[in-house]
Amino acid sequence: MAEQRFDAVVIGAGPGGYPAAIRLGQLKVKTAIIEREYIGGVCLNVGCIPSKAVIHAAKMFDKMGHADELGISIASKPTLDMKKLQTWKTGVVNKLTGGVRTLLKGNGVEIIEGTAKLEKPGADGHRITIASGIIAGKPAGGTQTIIAKNVILATGSRPFEIPGFKIDQNRVIDSTGALALDHVPQRLIVIGGGYIGLELGMVYAKFGSKVTVVEALPRVLASMDKDCVGVVERKLKKMGVEVLTNTKAKSWEDKGDRAVLTVELADGKTAQIDADKILLSIGRRPNSENLGLEAAGVAIDKRGFVIADDHLRTNVAGIYAIGDLIGGMMLAHKATKEGEVVAEIIAGHKAAFDVRTIPAVVFTDPEIASTGLTEDEAKQKGHTELKVGKFPFAALGRALSVNDSEGFCKVIGDAKTGELLGLHIVGNGAGDLISEGALAIEMGAVIEDLRLTIHPHPTLSEAVMEAAAVALGEAVHVMNQPVRR
Ligand SMILES: Cc1cc2nc3c(=O)[nH]c(=O)nc-3n(C[C@H](O)[C@H](O)[C@H](O)COP(=O)(O)OP(=O)(O)OC[C@H]3O[C@@H](n4cnc5c(N)ncnc54)[C@H](O)[C@@H]3O)c2cc1C
């Protein structure tokens, strides 16, 4: 069979790859996308979407258990059918992945299901072989080679393992295993206090598991604003989740009826913890092996991430890389933006990944959302004096009236210029509120812009305006306590 030729080939159909392919299709570039496992990648299938579905269910379950505070009595305690929850969650995933498939096809993108590998480039372009793998659980045979003028590597990442903790999805599970459980483990150990571990740990704590978080660093969610994290730490404690910081997981043993984890505590002593499941969530590593990078001459760094510049170009002309594969903030929206930028570049338009901020959200209870700089980062970047304003959700009519008033909104600006440097929110709806800060930072706004913009009442979004007012010493709904640091 003659080799197929494309102007662009995208390897990996996650939130980086599929938007790139759709945009290329829209721009009339002859494009194929190759995916070995699931259209929609980690995010839609085993990441962002299914995790947010179970987080929503856990929140609802928890709220129902506390409905009597509002005078609502539920005849008996709410019960949970995990199998039914799984069915609902799978339905949500299928709706979205089906939609992506339709959009790819609708924009003229050829979908090829199989595992792609780069070969040594020929005179006629980049060569990619595709070995058909397991598609929708069924083996598919055959190999084919295609030729591409441009290649976008978007193969994403997978969970890190540590020696002695092989993920068997039985005793030792990763996030994918944790999202697929058809029962609630009585005791769950979460190794790693990053956002994935805490989000899932909280889900199971709400469903009734005794959860212990083991974190090697001095604090959980190390990259997020300290004050915001403090609120979540207090909530974890209230929920009965034990958080062991400065603690290293050393080994584990299967005792038949349980797993026993040995940890080294902060004081150097060892301790043992019993569990039914151990969730390993210590970060993710790039899918850069077995991709033919060496044959094609594509450079990677020490940790295996493909090296790409702000035009997402690798060191090989015509080969681009995006998403988790190139590291940085390993988030779906970062991957998507990069995918869209590359599509424009390949289509001959001027574009670059040139953003001032990438917002991040941790879907714990309460949520933490952040955009721009933390106070420490601002200082490190030479903003010698800062204006900081904090507004508590407890002073917000909307937060009180929906019985969800934990947390605050914090605005950070440069004291001399007023430039908005960072917005950090911990509280109900933080993830939905943060985009205002991202837009403001992208537009080069000053704190006063947030202060002067009328926010509708009563809404949670007023917290942003009120925090700006606090920073400027103009608050009317709390006592003025602007902080200069
Ligand atoms: C539990 C969990 C929750 C998360 N929650 C959030 C969240 O709330 N918000 C957020 O922004 N991010 C979240 N993330 C992170 C997010 O999922 C990733 O940042 C995002 O999926 C990265 O997109 P990507 O396109 O780079 O790669 P991926 O989504 O990893 O997609 C890569 C695709 O490439 C395919 N592939 C790999 N190698 C080959 C090959 N050789 N041939 C063909 N195909 C190949 C893979 O099968 C995969 O489908 C979460 C992740 C996890 C695990």
Side-chain angles (χ1 to χ4, degrees), residues 247-308:
T247 300
K248 291 190 191 90
K250 301 302 276 183
S251 59
W252 77 280
E253 227 183 303
D254 199 338
K255 295 277 189 190
D257 62 336
R258 68 195 193 285
V260 179
L261 175 76
T262 300
V263 294
E264 186 186 314
L265 301 167
D267 59 9
K269 291 189 183 133
T270 56
Q272 294 188 321
I273 313 166
D274 288 352
D276 300 290
K277 301 273 177 206
I278 299 174
L279 165 59
L280 197 61
S281 59
I282 51 157
R284 299 181 62 84
R285 58 192 301 200
N287 289 326
S288 54
E289 301 97 341
N290 309 317
L291 193 55
L293 296 180
E294 222 168 277
V298 176
I300 56 173
D301 71 12
K302 272 190 284 189
R303 295 180 302 157
F305 290 105
V306 171
I307 300 168

Short mmCIF file of all heavy atoms in Angstrom, two decimals, residues 247-308:
data_model
loop_
_atom_site.label_atom_id
_atom_site.label_comp_id
_atom_site.label_asym_id
_atom_site.label_seq_id
_atom_site.Cartn_x
_atom_site.Cartn_y
_atom_site.Cartn_z
N THR A 247 7.63 13.04 55.80
CA THR A 247 7.55 11.59 56.02
C THR A 247 7.75 10.86 54.69
O THR A 247 7.12 11.23 53.69
CB THR A 247 6.17 11.22 56.62
OG1 THR A 247 6.03 11.93 57.85
CG2 THR A 247 6.03 9.73 56.86
N LYS A 248 8.63 9.84 54.72
CA LYS A 248 8.91 9.14 53.46
C LYS A 248 8.35 7.72 53.49
O LYS A 248 8.54 7.00 54.48
CB LYS A 248 10.44 9.04 53.27
CG LYS A 248 11.09 10.37 52.99
CD LYS A 248 12.54 10.17 52.55
CE LYS A 248 13.26 11.50 52.54
NZ LYS A 248 13.89 11.86 53.79
N ALA A 249 7.68 7.34 52.41
CA ALA A 249 7.21 5.96 52.29
C ALA A 249 8.42 5.11 51.91
O ALA A 249 9.10 5.41 50.93
CB ALA A 249 6.14 5.88 51.22
N LYS A 250 8.72 4.08 52.71
CA LYS A 250 9.94 3.30 52.45
C LYS A 250 9.63 1.98 51.74
O LYS A 250 10.29 1.61 50.78
CB LYS A 250 10.67 2.98 53.77
CG LYS A 250 11.08 4.19 54.57
CD LYS A 250 11.98 5.14 53.83
CE LYS A 250 13.44 4.76 53.87
NZ LYS A 250 14.25 5.79 53.17
N SER A 251 8.65 1.23 52.25
CA SER A 251 8.33 -0.07 51.65
C SER A 251 6.93 -0.46 52.09
O SER A 251 6.35 0.18 52.97
CB SER A 251 9.33 -1.12 52.15
OG SER A 251 9.26 -1.19 53.56
N TRP A 252 6.43 -1.51 51.49
CA TRP A 252 5.14 -2.03 51.96
C TRP A 252 5.11 -3.55 51.84
O TRP A 252 5.87 -4.13 51.07
CB TRP A 252 3.98 -1.39 51.18
CG TRP A 252 3.79 -1.96 49.80
CD1 TRP A 252 4.49 -1.64 48.69
CD2 TRP A 252 2.84 -2.96 49.43
NE1 TRP A 252 4.04 -2.36 47.62
CE2 TRP A 252 3.02 -3.17 48.05
CE3 TRP A 252 1.86 -3.66 50.11
CZ2 TRP A 252 2.25 -4.11 47.34
CZ3 TRP A 252 1.08 -4.58 49.40
CH2 TRP A 252 1.28 -4.79 48.02
N GLU A 253 4.24 -4.14 52.61
CA GLU A 253 4.15 -5.59 52.62
C GLU A 253 2.69 -6.00 52.51
O GLU A 253 1.82 -5.34 53.12
CB GLU A 253 4.67 -6.07 53.99
CG GLU A 253 5.65 -7.23 53.90
CD GLU A 253 6.03 -7.65 55.30
OE1 GLU A 253 6.51 -6.79 56.07
OE2 GLU A 253 5.80 -8.83 55.62
N ASP A 254 2.43 -7.05 51.74
CA ASP A 254 1.06 -7.54 51.63
C ASP A 254 0.84 -8.59 52.70
O ASP A 254 1.48 -9.64 52.69
CB ASP A 254 0.83 -8.15 50.23
CG ASP A 254 -0.65 -8.22 49.92
OD1 ASP A 254 -1.46 -8.23 50.87
OD2 ASP A 254 -1.01 -8.26 48.72
N LYS A 255 -0.02 -8.30 53.64
CA LYS A 255 -0.27 -9.23 54.74
C LYS A 255 -1.52 -10.08 54.46
O LYS A 255 -2.12 -10.61 55.38
CB LYS A 255 -0.47 -8.47 56.05
CG LYS A 255 0.77 -7.73 56.51
CD LYS A 255 1.72 -8.65 57.26
CE LYS A 255 2.82 -7.83 57.89
NZ LYS A 255 3.90 -8.66 58.43
N GLY A 256 -1.93 -10.17 53.23
CA GLY A 256 -3.11 -10.98 52.89
C GLY A 256 -4.38 -10.18 53.06
O GLY A 256 -5.04 -9.82 52.09
N ASP A 257 -4.72 -9.85 54.31
CA ASP A 257 -5.96 -9.10 54.53
C ASP A 257 -5.75 -7.60 54.48
O ASP A 257 -6.70 -6.82 54.54
CB ASP A 257 -6.58 -9.50 55.89
CG ASP A 257 -5.66 -9.14 57.06
OD1 ASP A 257 -4.43 -9.04 56.85
OD2 ASP A 257 -6.18 -8.97 58.18
N ARG A 258 -4.47 -7.17 54.40
CA ARG A 258 -4.20 -5.74 54.38
C ARG A 258 -2.78 -5.47 53.88
O ARG A 258 -1.96 -6.40 53.85
CB ARG A 258 -4.37 -5.12 55.77
CG ARG A 258 -3.32 -5.60 56.75
CD ARG A 258 -3.72 -5.27 58.20
NE ARG A 258 -2.60 -5.45 59.11
CZ ARG A 258 -2.13 -6.62 59.52
NH1 ARG A 258 -2.67 -7.76 59.10
NH2 ARG A 258 -1.11 -6.68 60.36
N ALA A 259 -2.53 -4.23 53.53
CA ALA A 259 -1.16 -3.81 53.20
C ALA A 259 -0.61 -3.08 54.42
O ALA A 259 -1.36 -2.41 55.12
CB ALA A 259 -1.19 -2.86 52.02
N VAL A 260 0.69 -3.27 54.66
CA VAL A 260 1.31 -2.53 55.77
C VAL A 260 2.44 -1.67 55.19
O VAL A 260 3.38 -2.19 54.58
CB VAL A 260 1.85 -3.48 56.86
CG1 VAL A 260 2.52 -2.67 57.98
CG2 VAL A 260 0.72 -4.32 57.43
N LEU A 261 2.28 -0.37 55.36
CA LEU A 261 3.26 0.57 54.81
C LEU A 261 4.25 0.96 55.91
O LEU A 261 3.85 1.29 57.03
CB LEU A 261 2.54 1.83 54.31
CG LEU A 261 3.45 2.95 53.81
CD1 LEU A 261 4.00 2.63 52.43
CD2 LEU A 261 2.68 4.27 53.75
N THR A 262 5.54 0.92 55.56
CA THR A 262 6.55 1.42 56.50
C THR A 262 6.98 2.81 56.05
O THR A 262 7.31 3.01 54.88
CB THR A 262 7.76 0.47 56.54
OG1 THR A 262 7.29 -0.82 56.95
CG2 THR A 262 8.83 0.96 57.52
N VAL A 263 6.94 3.74 57.00
CA VAL A 263 7.35 5.12 56.67
C VAL A 263 8.47 5.56 57.59
O VAL A 263 8.60 5.06 58.71
CB VAL A 263 6.17 6.12 56.80
CG1 VAL A 263 5.10 5.86 55.78
CG2 VAL A 263 5.59 6.15 58.22
N GLU A 264 9.26 6.50 57.07
CA GLU A 264 10.27 7.14 57.93
C GLU A 264 9.73 8.51 58.30
O GLU A 264 9.46 9.34 57.43
CB GLU A 264 11.59 7.26 57.16
CG GLU A 264 12.72 7.79 58.02
CD GLU A 264 13.96 8.04 57.18
OE1 GLU A 264 14.34 7.17 56.36
OE2 GLU A 264 14.54 9.12 57.33
N LEU A 265 9.54 8.72 59.60
CA LEU A 265 8.94 9.97 60.06
C LEU A 265 9.96 11.10 60.10
O LEU A 265 11.16 10.88 59.93
CB LEU A 265 8.34 9.75 61.46
CG LEU A 265 7.27 8.66 61.54
CD1 LEU A 265 6.97 8.31 62.98
CD2 LEU A 265 5.99 9.11 60.84
N ALA A 266 9.45 12.31 60.39
CA ALA A 266 10.31 13.50 60.41
C ALA A 266 11.49 13.33 61.36
O ALA A 266 12.59 13.82 61.08
CB ALA A 266 9.47 14.70 60.82
N ASP A 267 11.28 12.63 62.47
CA ASP A 267 12.36 12.49 63.46
C ASP A 267 13.29 11.31 63.15
O ASP A 267 14.14 10.96 63.97
CB ASP A 267 11.77 12.34 64.87
CG ASP A 267 10.84 11.13 64.98
OD1 ASP A 267 10.80 10.31 64.02
OD2 ASP A 267 10.16 10.98 66.00
N GLY A 268 13.12 10.69 62.00
CA GLY A 268 14.02 9.60 61.59
C GLY A 268 13.54 8.22 62.05
O GLY A 268 14.04 7.19 61.60
N LYS A 269 12.54 8.20 62.94
CA LYS A 269 12.01 6.91 63.40
C LYS A 269 11.12 6.32 62.31
O LYS A 269 10.62 7.03 61.45
CB LYS A 269 11.18 7.11 64.67
CG LYS A 269 12.03 7.49 65.86
CD LYS A 269 11.19 7.46 67.12
CE LYS A 269 12.02 7.90 68.31
NZ LYS A 269 11.33 8.87 69.13
N THR A 270 10.93 5.00 62.37
CA THR A 270 10.01 4.40 61.40
C THR A 270 8.68 4.07 62.07
O THR A 270 8.61 3.91 63.29
CB THR A 270 10.60 3.11 60.76
OG1 THR A 270 10.92 2.22 61.81
CG2 THR A 270 11.82 3.40 59.92
N ALA A 271 7.65 4.00 61.23
CA ALA A 271 6.33 3.64 61.75
C ALA A 271 5.63 2.80 60.69
O ALA A 271 6.03 2.81 59.52
CB ALA A 271 5.53 4.90 62.04
N GLN A 272 4.61 2.08 61.10
CA GLN A 272 3.87 1.26 60.14
C GLN A 272 2.40 1.66 60.14
O GLN A 272 1.83 1.98 61.18
CB GLN A 272 4.04 -0.20 60.50
CG GLN A 272 5.52 -0.59 60.30
CD GLN A 272 5.79 -2.04 60.43
OE1 GLN A 272 5.23 -2.69 61.29
NE2 GLN A 272 6.68 -2.55 59.59
N ILE A 273 1.84 1.66 58.94
CA ILE A 273 0.44 2.06 58.80
C ILE A 273 -0.29 0.98 58.00
O ILE A 273 0.19 0.56 56.94
CB ILE A 273 0.30 3.41 58.05
CG1 ILE A 273 1.28 4.46 58.61
CG2 ILE A 273 -1.12 3.93 58.13
CD1 ILE A 273 1.42 5.68 57.71
N ASP A 274 -1.43 0.53 58.50
CA ASP A 274 -2.25 -0.46 57.78
C ASP A 274 -3.14 0.22 56.75
O ASP A 274 -3.61 1.33 56.98
CB ASP A 274 -3.17 -1.19 58.77
CG ASP A 274 -2.38 -2.14 59.68
OD1 ASP A 274 -1.18 -2.33 59.42
OD2 ASP A 274 -2.98 -2.68 60.62
N ALA A 275 -3.37 -0.48 55.66
CA ALA A 275 -4.27 0.08 54.64
C ALA A 275 -4.88 -1.03 53.80
O ALA A 275 -4.34 -2.15 53.73
CB ALA A 275 -3.50 1.02 53.73
N ASP A 276 -6.01 -0.69 53.19
CA ASP A 276 -6.58 -1.63 52.20
C ASP A 276 -6.06 -1.29 50.82
O ASP A 276 -5.87 -2.16 49.97
CB ASP A 276 -8.11 -1.53 52.25
CG ASP A 276 -8.61 -1.91 53.63
OD1 ASP A 276 -8.51 -3.10 53.97
OD2 ASP A 276 -8.99 -1.01 54.39
N LYS A 277 -5.85 -0.02 50.58
CA LYS A 277 -5.28 0.43 49.29
C LYS A 277 -4.22 1.47 49.56
O LYS A 277 -4.36 2.29 50.49
CB LYS A 277 -6.35 1.07 48.41
CG LYS A 277 -7.54 0.19 48.06
CD LYS A 277 -7.28 -0.65 46.83
CE LYS A 277 -8.46 -1.58 46.54
NZ LYS A 277 -8.10 -2.77 45.80
N ILE A 278 -3.20 1.46 48.71
CA ILE A 278 -2.19 2.52 48.74
C ILE A 278 -2.27 3.25 47.41
O ILE A 278 -2.08 2.64 46.35
CB ILE A 278 -0.77 1.93 48.94
CG1 ILE A 278 -0.69 1.18 50.27
CG2 ILE A 278 0.27 3.04 48.86
CD1 ILE A 278 0.64 0.45 50.48
N LEU A 279 -2.59 4.52 47.47
CA LEU A 279 -2.67 5.32 46.24
C LEU A 279 -1.34 6.05 46.06
O LEU A 279 -0.95 6.86 46.91
CB LEU A 279 -3.83 6.32 46.33
CG LEU A 279 -3.85 7.48 45.32
CD1 LEU A 279 -3.89 6.96 43.88
CD2 LEU A 279 -5.07 8.39 45.57
N LEU A 280 -0.67 5.75 44.97
CA LEU A 280 0.62 6.37 44.69
C LEU A 280 0.37 7.57 43.78
O LEU A 280 -0.07 7.42 42.64
CB LEU A 280 1.52 5.34 44.00
CG LEU A 280 3.01 5.63 43.99
CD1 LEU A 280 3.57 5.71 45.39
CD2 LEU A 280 3.74 4.53 43.21
N SER A 281 0.64 8.76 44.29
CA SER A 281 0.44 9.96 43.44
C SER A 281 1.57 10.94 43.74
O SER A 281 1.38 11.95 44.41
CB SER A 281 -0.93 10.60 43.70
OG SER A 281 -1.04 10.97 45.04
N ILE A 282 2.74 10.59 43.22
CA ILE A 282 3.92 11.40 43.53
C ILE A 282 4.40 12.18 42.31
O ILE A 282 5.55 12.58 42.24
CB ILE A 282 5.05 10.51 44.06
CG1 ILE A 282 5.27 9.33 43.10
CG2 ILE A 282 4.77 10.00 45.46
CD1 ILE A 282 6.63 8.74 43.20
N GLY A 283 3.51 12.34 41.37
CA GLY A 283 3.88 13.12 40.18
C GLY A 283 3.82 12.28 38.92
O GLY A 283 3.51 11.08 38.97
N ARG A 284 4.09 12.93 37.80
CA ARG A 284 3.94 12.26 36.51
C ARG A 284 5.19 12.45 35.68
O ARG A 284 5.91 13.43 35.82
CB ARG A 284 2.69 12.79 35.79
CG ARG A 284 1.42 12.52 36.59
CD ARG A 284 0.19 13.02 35.89
NE ARG A 284 -0.05 12.39 34.63
CZ ARG A 284 -0.68 11.23 34.45
NH1 ARG A 284 -1.13 10.56 35.50
NH2 ARG A 284 -0.86 10.73 33.25
N ARG A 285 5.46 11.46 34.83
CA ARG A 285 6.65 11.52 33.97
C ARG A 285 6.25 11.49 32.50
O ARG A 285 5.20 10.93 32.14
CB ARG A 285 7.60 10.37 34.30
CG ARG A 285 6.96 9.01 34.13
CD ARG A 285 7.82 7.95 34.72
NE ARG A 285 9.13 7.94 34.08
CZ ARG A 285 9.95 6.89 34.10
NH1 ARG A 285 9.58 5.79 34.74
NH2 ARG A 285 11.09 6.93 33.49
N PRO A 286 7.07 12.10 31.64
CA PRO A 286 6.68 12.22 30.23
C PRO A 286 6.71 10.88 29.48
O PRO A 286 7.54 10.02 29.77
CB PRO A 286 7.76 13.14 29.66
CG PRO A 286 8.92 12.99 30.58
CD PRO A 286 8.38 12.71 31.93
N ASN A 287 5.78 10.75 28.56
CA ASN A 287 5.77 9.57 27.68
C ASN A 287 6.71 9.83 26.50
O ASN A 287 6.26 10.09 25.37
CB ASN A 287 4.36 9.30 27.15
CG ASN A 287 3.44 8.78 28.23
OD1 ASN A 287 3.86 8.05 29.13
ND2 ASN A 287 2.17 9.15 28.16
N SER A 288 8.01 9.81 26.78
CA SER A 288 8.97 10.09 25.70
C SER A 288 9.76 8.86 25.27
O SER A 288 10.52 8.93 24.31
CB SER A 288 9.92 11.22 26.13
OG SER A 288 10.53 10.91 27.36
N GLU A 289 9.56 7.74 25.99
CA GLU A 289 10.27 6.52 25.57
C GLU A 289 9.53 5.85 24.42
O GLU A 289 8.33 6.06 24.23
CB GLU A 289 10.37 5.50 26.71
CG GLU A 289 11.08 5.99 27.94
CD GLU A 289 10.10 6.47 28.98
OE1 GLU A 289 8.94 6.74 28.61
OE2 GLU A 289 10.51 6.60 30.14
N ASN A 290 10.23 5.03 23.69
CA ASN A 290 9.66 4.23 22.59
C ASN A 290 8.92 5.07 21.56
O ASN A 290 7.98 4.60 20.92
CB ASN A 290 8.70 3.15 23.13
CG ASN A 290 9.34 2.33 24.22
OD1 ASN A 290 10.51 1.95 24.08
ND2 ASN A 290 8.62 2.08 25.28
N LEU A 291 9.34 6.30 21.44
CA LEU A 291 8.66 7.20 20.51
C LEU A 291 9.54 7.48 19.30
O LEU A 291 9.16 8.23 18.40
CB LEU A 291 8.33 8.50 21.28
CG LEU A 291 7.38 9.50 20.69
CD1 LEU A 291 6.04 8.87 20.34
CD2 LEU A 291 7.15 10.67 21.66
N GLY A 292 10.71 6.86 19.29
CA GLY A 292 11.63 7.05 18.17
C GLY A 292 12.33 8.40 18.20
O GLY A 292 12.82 8.88 17.17
N LEU A 293 12.39 9.03 19.36
CA LEU A 293 12.98 10.38 19.44
C LEU A 293 14.44 10.35 19.03
O LEU A 293 14.93 11.27 18.36
CB LEU A 293 12.83 10.96 20.85
CG LEU A 293 11.40 11.20 21.33
CD1 LEU A 293 11.39 11.78 22.73
CD2 LEU A 293 10.67 12.14 20.37
N GLU A 294 15.12 9.28 19.43
CA GLU A 294 16.54 9.18 19.10
C GLU A 294 16.74 9.08 17.59
O GLU A 294 17.56 9.80 17.01
CB GLU A 294 17.12 7.95 19.79
CG GLU A 294 18.47 8.22 20.40
CD GLU A 294 18.87 7.09 21.30
OE1 GLU A 294 18.43 7.09 22.47
OE2 GLU A 294 19.61 6.22 20.82
N ALA A 295 15.94 8.20 16.96
CA ALA A 295 16.07 8.02 15.50
C ALA A 295 15.81 9.34 14.77
O ALA A 295 16.50 9.68 13.80
CB ALA A 295 15.07 6.95 15.03
N ALA A 296 14.85 10.08 15.26
CA ALA A 296 14.51 11.34 14.59
C ALA A 296 15.43 12.48 15.02
O ALA A 296 15.38 13.57 14.45
CB ALA A 296 13.06 11.70 14.89
N GLY A 297 16.21 12.25 16.08
CA GLY A 297 17.16 13.27 16.54
C GLY A 297 16.56 14.33 17.45
O GLY A 297 17.11 15.42 17.60
N VAL A 298 15.42 14.02 18.09
CA VAL A 298 14.75 15.01 18.95
C VAL A 298 15.37 14.99 20.35
O VAL A 298 15.49 13.93 20.98
CB VAL A 298 13.23 14.72 19.04
CG1 VAL A 298 12.55 15.69 20.01
CG2 VAL A 298 12.59 14.79 17.67
N ALA A 299 15.74 16.17 20.84
CA ALA A 299 16.44 16.25 22.13
C ALA A 299 15.46 16.24 23.30
O ALA A 299 14.39 16.84 23.23
CB ALA A 299 17.27 17.53 22.17
N ILE A 300 15.90 15.55 24.36
CA ILE A 300 15.13 15.57 25.62
C ILE A 300 16.04 16.04 26.74
O ILE A 300 17.26 16.02 26.60
CB ILE A 300 14.54 14.16 25.95
CG1 ILE A 300 15.67 13.10 26.01
CG2 ILE A 300 13.48 13.75 24.98
CD1 ILE A 300 15.18 11.74 26.49
N ASP A 301 15.42 16.45 27.86
CA ASP A 301 16.26 16.86 29.00
C ASP A 301 16.52 15.67 29.90
O ASP A 301 16.10 14.55 29.61
CB ASP A 301 15.64 18.07 29.72
CG ASP A 301 14.37 17.70 30.50
OD1 ASP A 301 14.10 16.49 30.68
OD2 ASP A 301 13.65 18.62 30.94
N LYS A 302 17.18 15.94 31.05
CA LYS A 302 17.59 14.86 31.96
C LYS A 302 16.42 14.06 32.49
O LYS A 302 16.54 12.89 32.81
CB LYS A 302 18.34 15.47 33.16
CG LYS A 302 19.84 15.63 32.91
CD LYS A 302 20.54 15.99 34.20
CE LYS A 302 20.28 17.43 34.51
NZ LYS A 302 20.90 18.15 35.50
N ARG A 303 15.28 14.73 32.61
CA ARG A 303 14.12 14.04 33.18
C ARG A 303 13.23 13.41 32.12
O ARG A 303 12.17 12.87 32.39
CB ARG A 303 13.31 15.01 34.04
CG ARG A 303 14.12 15.48 35.25
CD ARG A 303 13.34 16.45 36.09
NE ARG A 303 12.91 17.60 35.32
CZ ARG A 303 11.88 18.38 35.64
NH1 ARG A 303 11.14 18.11 36.68
NH2 ARG A 303 11.58 19.42 34.91
N GLY A 304 13.67 13.50 30.86
CA GLY A 304 12.92 12.83 29.79
C GLY A 304 11.92 13.73 29.07
O GLY A 304 11.23 13.29 28.15
N PHE A 305 11.81 15.01 29.50
CA PHE A 305 10.89 15.92 28.82
C PHE A 305 11.49 16.36 27.49
O PHE A 305 12.70 16.66 27.42
CB PHE A 305 10.62 17.16 29.67
CG PHE A 305 9.81 16.88 30.91
CD1 PHE A 305 10.41 16.85 32.16
CD2 PHE A 305 8.45 16.63 30.82
CE1 PHE A 305 9.66 16.58 33.30
CE2 PHE A 305 7.69 16.36 31.95
CZ PHE A 305 8.30 16.34 33.20
N VAL A 306 10.68 16.42 26.46
CA VAL A 306 11.15 16.93 25.18
C VAL A 306 11.40 18.44 25.32
O VAL A 306 10.59 19.15 25.93
CB VAL A 306 10.11 16.65 24.06
CG1 VAL A 306 10.48 17.37 22.77
CG2 VAL A 306 10.00 15.14 23.82
N ILE A 307 12.50 18.88 24.77
CA ILE A 307 12.85 20.30 24.89
C ILE A 307 12.19 21.07 23.73
O ILE A 307 12.38 20.72 22.57
CB ILE A 307 14.38 20.50 24.87
CG1 ILE A 307 15.02 19.73 26.04
CG2 ILE A 307 14.75 21.98 24.92
CD1 ILE A 307 16.53 19.59 25.96
N ALA A 308 11.41 22.09 24.09
CA ALA A 308 10.74 22.90 23.06
C ALA A 308 10.87 24.38 23.41
O ALA A 308 10.93 24.74 24.59
CB ALA A 308 9.26 22.52 22.98
#
